Amino acid sequence: MHRLTALLLLAAVAIFAGPVVAHDESAGMGFHTAQQQDFERASDKLIQLAEATPADKYSWRPAEGIRSVSENFMHVAQVNFALGAALGAAKAENTDNLEAITEKAKVVAELKRSIAYTKEAFEDVVGTDLDRELPFFNSKRSAWSILLIINGHAHEHLGQAIAYARSNGVVPPWSQ
């Protein structure tokens, strides 16, 4: 009886588990698509917060020596440009010293520009070997690890932007 139960359990697992996908380009493209969609969701929320935050709050900082609202958004933009280039995209123009930009309209525009640039960098790696090593500052990283870093960074600063917004009485638009 125990054998019959074990066999039925194995059969159920085999039926519901679905096919096993070997590591090939289609598996990498699935990872790529998931990473790209995750980046787009986090980036969309960053833009929503940047647009919802009043211009007079862009200089607010939680304490001395900590990035202001505008500096947080411009830090995200700066890193988007750097990590997109690390994936192999051509270096974007006018990306030096973005954290000096403090005017809301310019901050939002640069944030959007950096996100569009990074989305193009994502597209450039579609169907490529995500295990390949790429120059990454003073070391090398695989393309897939750079994709993970891009998303981790976007989410880290989205969380920071949410805390900044709520500290200033701004409710994130997607949670109203």
Side-chain angles (χ1 to χ4, degrees), residues 5-6 11-12 15 18 22 32 46 53 63 67 82 97 105-106 108 122 124 130-131 137 141 143 147 167 171 173 176:
T5 303
I15 290 169
H32 169 270
L46 278 162
T53 301
R67 286 186 181 108
N97 201 25
K106 290 179 182 177
V108 172
F122 266 93
D124 290 345
L130 295 178
D131 287 326
F137 300 100
R141 293 274 185 144
L147 293 173
S167 293
V171 177
Q176 292 182 6

Side-chain angles (χ1 to χ4, degrees), residues 4-18:
L4 180 59
T5 303
L7 286 173
L8 288 173
L9 183 58
L10 283 173
V13 169
I15 290 169
F16 294 109

Side-chain angles (χ1 to χ4, degrees), residues 56-117:
D56 66 336
K57 299 297 182 184
Y58 267 59
S59 62
W60 181 88
R61 64 183 74 241
E64 186 65 34
I66 298 176
R67 286 186 181 108
S68 68
V69 171
S70 67
E71 290 167 344
N72 182 49
F73 289 129
M74 289 298 80
H75 170 74
V76 171
Q78 187 78 53
V79 172
N80 282 346
F81 286 124
L83 294 176
L87 281 176
K91 186 177 182 326
E93 294 183 15
N94 303 319
T95 61
D96 296 328
N97 201 25
L98 290 179
E99 288 188 32
I101 298 172
T102 58
E103 182 187 325
K104 178 179 176 172
K106 290 179 182 177
V107 168
V108 172
E110 285 300 316
L111 182 61
K112 287 179 177 180
R113 183 173 78 100
S114 77
I115 290 166
Y117 172 82

Side-chain angles (χ1 to χ4, degrees), residues 22-74:
H23 181 73
D24 65 4
E25 286 185 67
S26 64
M29 288 177 65
F31 171 83
H32 169 270
T33 300
Q35 290 300 298
Q36 187 171 26
Q37 290 173 351
D38 187 54
F39 175 75
E40 289 173 2
R41 280 189 297 274
S43 296
D44 181 55
K45 288 179 178 181
L46 278 162
I47 291 169
Q48 288 180 54
L49 278 177
E51 291 174 336
T53 301
D56 66 336
K57 299 297 182 184
Y58 267 59
S59 62
W60 181 88
R61 64 183 74 241
E64 186 65 34
I66 298 176
R67 286 186 181 108
S68 68
V69 171
S70 67
E71 290 167 344
N72 182 49
F73 289 129
M74 289 298 80

